[in-house]
Structures are given as structure tokens and as C-alpha cells.
Amino acid sequence: MGPGRLSWSLLLRCRRAAAALGAPRCRPLPARPLSAAAPLRAPLRPPGTGGGAPWNGAAGAGGDEEKEEEEEEEEDEAALEELLAPSPLAPGPGAQRVAVVHPAVKWGPQKSPLTTAELQIAEAVALVDTLQNWTVLDKIIIPTKNPNKKFVFGKGNFQVLTEKIKKLPHVTAVFLNVERISSLTKKELEGAWGVPVFDRYTVVLHIFRCNARTKEAKLQVALAEIPLLRSNLKNEVSQRDQQRGGSRYIMGSGETFLETQNRVLKERELKIRNALEKLRRKRALLRTQRRKCEFPMVSVMGYTNCGKTTLIKALTGEAGLQPRDQLFATLDITAHAGYLPSHMPVIYVDTIGFLTDLPHNLVESFSATLEEVAYSDLIVHVRDITHPETILQKATVLSVLRNLNLPSHLLDSMVEVHNKVDLTERYKPTEENALAVSALHGHGLEELKQEIEKKILTATGKKILTVNINLEGPQLSWLYKEATVQEVEVMPEDGTARVKVIISSSAFGRYKNLFPNSEIFMS
């Protein structure tokens, strides 16, 4: 049976599985965010009643239920739109002319042995370049002993830096390349330099804000903004009187402005988390549907801009995928269908990229999306092997994966892919069992597919085998229903056929019990 016939067979199986669930069809489709699931509803009429027939006087109750559901959905939608309103933290839509400043730690535990100040500021510049209408005016490396102190730099270096910034023509902002600066430090620096000061948290969050497409991604960005809103609140409170007079809004004269605003933020955070939980439950339903279709899932992960989307496009041949050469181009987890060498269907899951010194609150906000990885059958870790910080990038990805509390078997079976080998003149594998590929030019893809198939068969307990069947018996229809039929070779002279199938261990056990005399050949 050729791949075309196989695809049609799988399509029918998926449609039947989806229909049985009363759910959207779960055939392999072009990419769609895994969070974008329509809510599943039980039918309001019992089976067998006609579309226009009355329902024993209960139709009115059903109509009321449907009306209440619609009203609830409208209320939820309105509340969601309020949460997704434009952020007060977002920089204005105009152009930004940015001075990128990197505090180079001279020594101590904060100095990374796997990178240099030049590489760190190059990544900071790449972050700024990701944003539309943002331009790097100058990049400045200034040494420091402790970037956590109030002014980040020593007195002399701070004075030199201030003079440099003030001499820059038309500078509108400074990007200080540290993970997070306190509200007090931000206030002092902005007072000294006369322009807004951004840290990595702020810049990465703004990139996320610009790239978020689905409601789930936008909600996760809104959740990540809460710590910044709290920090800004402290600055605002320092400029106001702590005690305010009674009014309806602040629930009585005993509540201070700070208490009021903190309460509002807590309520907003709770609403966002509740909305995310609803979307998480919908995604769980989608996951159940995919499990019913028995499609193995492969999560493709890696440092931002390592070539994950390009690799998935090469593995699936999906023309609609348009990889972008920029940081954090993918924020929503999306699914893409492909086939392995045995024609086994598989779903490749494209995930958000990682970044060194990505603030914990940002990772935590996107944990609802990343939980999908825990339900994968295999993880493929893609590395840009040409990047000068490739070892640091690997350490960053592995650190985040460990913090996600993934099952140990997923981490132990992970496939490591060295991508972009076409850009290196003399590639030498630095890790045992790593696979060298060029996603752009197709080099090494067949070897990668074979490795994925081998790991998937082990992870899912599936077997590839060939059985001899009697065409007059029920075996063939049983195999089409319970397994994935790969090939059927008919031998008309004796009314038999050799059938190659992919079958789970449990289905294989049932087959042997039902058809004990069937000849079975392990592939």
C-alpha cells in the first residue's frame, strides 16, 4: 500500500475517533496552535430526535440552558478582552533609538566561563533588532564588580557611562543587559540619563508581546507583566501620600492607595490564571483526541533561533510553514504531521525557544504552554552548532527542561541534533550520538527520521511486524481497525496476504489471543 492510500486510511481512522468523541476531527493538519480548541459540548437533544421535532416539553429547558451557556460565553469573552487590553507597560509605537549597555563582570560567581562580554552584548543587540522600528545607536561594554548594586557600576565607570549616553544624538532609551533591575535602580538610572531604562525582562517581554498571536500567548504575556506592574506601583506610591481619604473605590477610609492597587493586581492575576486554566483544560481535551488517534508526539526544542521550525518544515514537507530568522518567532506551540521511514504517522510539536538569563517569571508564565512537552513521546533538542555560544545554549536548554520536572525517561531518551552543519567547513561531532543535519539543505534528515522512529517504537511499545492472514477471515479488517496497516501483499492463488503493520503491545496481545494460528514475522 502506497503512502497516498495509507494517508487516506489514517484520515478515516482519525475521523471515526473524533466522531466518537463528539470532537473536532483530529487528522494530520497544517499547523494550528494546540491551545486553539473549540469547547466540546454534549448534544442538547437525545439521539434519534429529529431536528424540528419537539422534545417532550424539555426543549424549553434545553433552550434556556443553551441561552445561559451563550450568555456565559459572552461574559467570559468580554472579561477576556478586558484582560487582553493594551498594556500600560508597552513602549510607545514610535521608533526607539537605543544605547545597549553591558555590565561586564570581571570575576566571581556571576562571571560565566562559557561566554564573553562581546558575545553577550551581541545577543542583546539581536534582541533589540528583533523589534520593529528599534535601532541600536551604540553598544557599550563597561566593567563592573557587582551588577546587583544600586548604580550597577562603580562611581567612576558610572560617570564615564553617563557622559557617553548624554553625548549620543537623539537617544530615546537605554537597554541595560542584566536580567532584572530593581524599581529603585531603574528610577535612579532614568534620573541620571534622562531616558527610559529597559532590562532583559522588559525587552524580552515586549518581544513576546509583539509576537503573541493567540489568546493563550497574550494571557501568558499579561501574567508575566504582573511583577513589573507591582514594581512600578512601588515607584508610584513613593510619589504619593500613603494614606487616602475614604471613597467607594478603595472600600473605606482605612485602605491605603498601595493596598488598593495591590488588591486590584491580585484580582487581575487571579482572572488571568483562571482564563489560562480554562484554556489548559481545552488543550487537555485536544491531547485526549490525539491519543485516541494514536499519533506519537515529538517535541522539538532548543535555544531561540536554532532552526526548530526550519527542521520541522524539512521533516514534514509542510509548505505553509514559514520560518523567520529572528529571536522568539514562535511563542505558541503548534502541531505538524509527518511520516517516519516505516510510514508511521507522527506529530511534531514546535515550541517556544529558550534564552540565557531568561527571567524565572517569564518561564513560569509560559509553563502552561510548556506542559505539553511532558506528554510527548520524545524530545528532539536542536542546536545551532555554528553559534560561538553553542555549549552555553545547550546548558541553558537542559537547565530549563530539568526545571519543568519532565519524566526522566523523556530526558534520558532525548535526541540531540546539530543543525546548520552546512555553515561549518570542518564539522566535528563534539557529543556522542549527536546527529549532524542541515535542515535548510536536507542533509542528514533520513538518519534523523530513522533515529526518531527507533526511539518512538521503544517509547510507545509499538512493534513493526508482518503477518500472514486468510483473506476470507476477519483478520484484515481487525488489523485496519486496531493497528496501522503499512502494506498488503495479496497472494490470490491461495487466498492469503502478507500484511505489514505497526501495532501496540496491547493490540498485539489481543491479536495473538484472537488468531492463535496466524503466522507472525517480526521486522
Side-chain angles (χ1 to χ4, degrees):
M1 180 182 294
R5 176 72 181 276
L6 172 67
S7 301
W8 181 245
S9 169
L10 288 170
L11 171 60
L12 291 176
R13 286 184 61 220
C14 282
R15 283 180 174 172
R16 285 197 294 269
L21 286 168
R25 293 172 182 170
C26 51
R27 65 184 184 276
L29 286 172
R32 59 175 294 181
L34 297 186
S35 58
L40 305 182
R41 295 185 187 174
L44 292 175
R45 292 178 176 272
T49 58
W55 179 14
N56 298 330
D64 290 344
E65 277 184 31
E66 187 172 355
K67 188 176 180 181
E68 285 177 13
E69 268 190 48
E70 288 175 358
E71 287 175 356
E72 277 184 26
E73 283 184 13
E74 286 175 5
E75 288 175 8
D76 288 346
E77 198 67 29
L80 199 57
E81 290 302 320
E82 183 183 343
L83 293 174
L84 298 179
S87 168
L89 298 177
Q96 293 279 7
R97 295 168 63 84
V98 185
V100 179
V101 177
H102 177 70
V105 180
K106 294 179 180 179
W107 60 78
Q110 295 188 66
K111 180 174 175 60
S112 172
L114 300 176
T115 187
T116 64
E118 288 73 22
L119 290 172
Q120 287 175 301
I121 200 169
E123 183 173 82
V125 169
L127 287 170
V128 174
D129 287 342
T130 299
L131 291 164
Q132 190 175 11
N133 297 326
W134 285 43
T135 306
V136 175
L137 209 56
D138 197 6
K139 48 186 182 179
I140 307 166
I141 298 175
I142 299 285
T144 182
K145 293 180 182 178
N146 181 14
N148 295 324
K149 58 187 177 183
K150 183 177 177 181
F151 283 98
V152 183
F153 307 96
K155 188 175 180 180
N157 283 338
F158 183 76
Q159 186 61 38
V160 170
L161 176 60
T162 301
E163 290 173 3
K164 280 189 176 184
I165 291 172
K166 292 200 167 183
K167 286 179 182 177
L168 290 174
H170 311 298
V171 63
T172 62
V174 172
F175 173 20
L176 190 61
N177 191 32
V178 296
E179 181 181 321
R180 184 86 183 271
I181 55 176
S182 69
S183 56
L184 178 61
T185 298
K186 178 179 172 67
K187 180 182 175 183
E188 295 288 349
L189 295 180
E190 288 179 347
W193 297 336
V195 293
V197 177
F198 305 132
D199 52 23
R200 282 174 78 89
Y201 192 109
T202 313
V203 171
V204 172
L205 183 60
H206 189 49
I207 295 172
F208 282 11
R209 191 184 292 118
C210 293
N211 287 350
R213 297 291 178 264
T214 65
K215 287 178 182 176
E216 184 168 27
K218 291 174 182 177
L219 281 169
Q220 289 174 125
V221 170
L223 183 61
E225 286 179 342
I226 297 291
L228 285 183
L229 288 168
R230 285 200 177 102
S231 179
N232 287 3
L233 178 60
K234 292 178 183 177
N235 277 341
E236 191 175 349
V237 167
S238 67
Q239 299 169 15
R240 291 170 174 258
D241 292 331
Q242 282 292 310
Q243 194 69 30
R244 293 178 50 112
S247 73
R248 282 187 305 121
Y249 178 70
I250 63 171
M251 302 291 287
S253 59
E255 189 174 40
T256 65
F257 174 74
L258 179 60
E259 289 168 343
T260 302
Q261 295 303 309
N262 270 328
R263 175 171 49 77
V264 170
L265 281 177
K266 282 182 181 178
E267 290 172 357
R268 176 178 173 80
E269 181 177 0
L270 183 61
K271 288 178 182 177
I272 293 171
R273 290 190 184 278
N274 287 340
L276 283 170
E277 176 59 23
K278 287 183 180 180
L279 291 172
R280 189 195 67 78
R281 289 197 295 267
K282 291 178 183 178
R283 193 170 53 246
L285 285 174
L286 277 181
R287 194 158 51 234
T288 301
Q289 293 159 21
R290 290 196 305 275
R291 290 293 181 192
K292 290 286 183 180
C293 293
E294 291 190 344
F295 291 160
M297 281 183 57
V298 178
S299 287
V300 182
M301 312 194 76
Y303 204 83
T304 184
N305 209 30
C306 67
K308 299 185 299 297
T309 306
T310 305
L311 179 62
I312 291 174
K313 181 174 184 177
L315 290 170
T316 62
E318 190 173 309
L321 266 176
Q322 297 298 329
R324 288 179 287 164
D325 184 16
Q326 67 178 61
L327 305 181
F328 300 112
T330 301
L331 278 189
D332 298 296
I333 286 188
T334 54
H336 312 265
Y339 288 95
L340 296 176
S342 65
H343 303 309
M344 182 196 300
V346 64
I347 294 177
Y348 293 100
V349 178
D350 199 359
T351 62
I352 183 175
F354 300 120
L355 185 74
T356 305
D357 294 330
L358 192 62
H360 173 75
N361 284 327
L362 273 176
V363 177
E364 194 273 335
S365 298
F366 278 79
S367 61
T369 297
L370 291 171
E371 78 168 6
E372 195 72 29
V373 178
Y375 295 93
S376 302
D377 297 295
L378 182 67
I379 293 175
V380 172
H381 175 200
V382 185
R383 293 175 57 188
D384 177 357
I385 205 63
T386 67
H387 198 283
E389 291 182 298
T390 184
I391 296 174
L392 175 63
Q393 291 181 355
K394 175 181 178 178
T396 297
V397 172
L398 294 182
S399 173
V400 174
L401 290 178
R402 282 192 289 267
N403 290 336
L404 290 175
N405 297 317
L406 299 176
S408 58
H409 69 87
L410 270 180
L411 296 175
D412 295 339
S413 64
M414 186 160 44
V415 176
E416 183 170 315
V417 173
H418 290 182
N419 191 23
K420 306 185 184 182
V421 293
D422 55 299
L423 300 179
T424 61
E425 291 183 4
R426 296 178 181 177
Y427 167 76
K428 291 182 180 179
T430 53
E431 278 85 6
E432 189 179 356
N433 299 326
L435 296 173
V437 307
S438 168
L440 192 62
H441 298 289
H443 172 75
L445 292 184
E446 289 308 312
E447 292 85 351
L448 175 58
K449 287 181 181 179
Q450 289 168 8
E451 181 67 15
I452 290 173
E453 179 170 276
K454 184 175 78 173
K455 293 286 182 73
I456 285 291
L457 289 172
T458 302
T460 60
K462 290 180 182 288
K463 297 175 174 60
I464 301 177
L465 50 88
T466 302
V467 295
N468 276 354
I469 65 164
N470 186 337
L471 288 173
E472 293 181 356
Q475 287 119 305
L476 186 59
S477 61
W478 191 94
L479 288 170
Y480 269 110
K481 182 180 177 183
E482 301 292 338
T484 302
V485 176
Q486 303 293 295
E487 297 172 6
V488 179
E489 182 185 350
V490 177
M491 289 169 281
E493 62 277 3
D494 54 4
T496 63
R498 294 172 66 89
V499 184
K500 184 179 180 182
V501 296
I502 301 172
I503 190 168
S504 66
S505 297
S506 58
F508 182 46
R510 293 197 302 273
Y511 180 82
K512 287 195 294 184
N513 288 334
L514 288 169
F515 311 106
N517 297 324
S518 179
E519 281 189 279
I520 300 170
F521 305 93
M522 304 298 292
S523 296

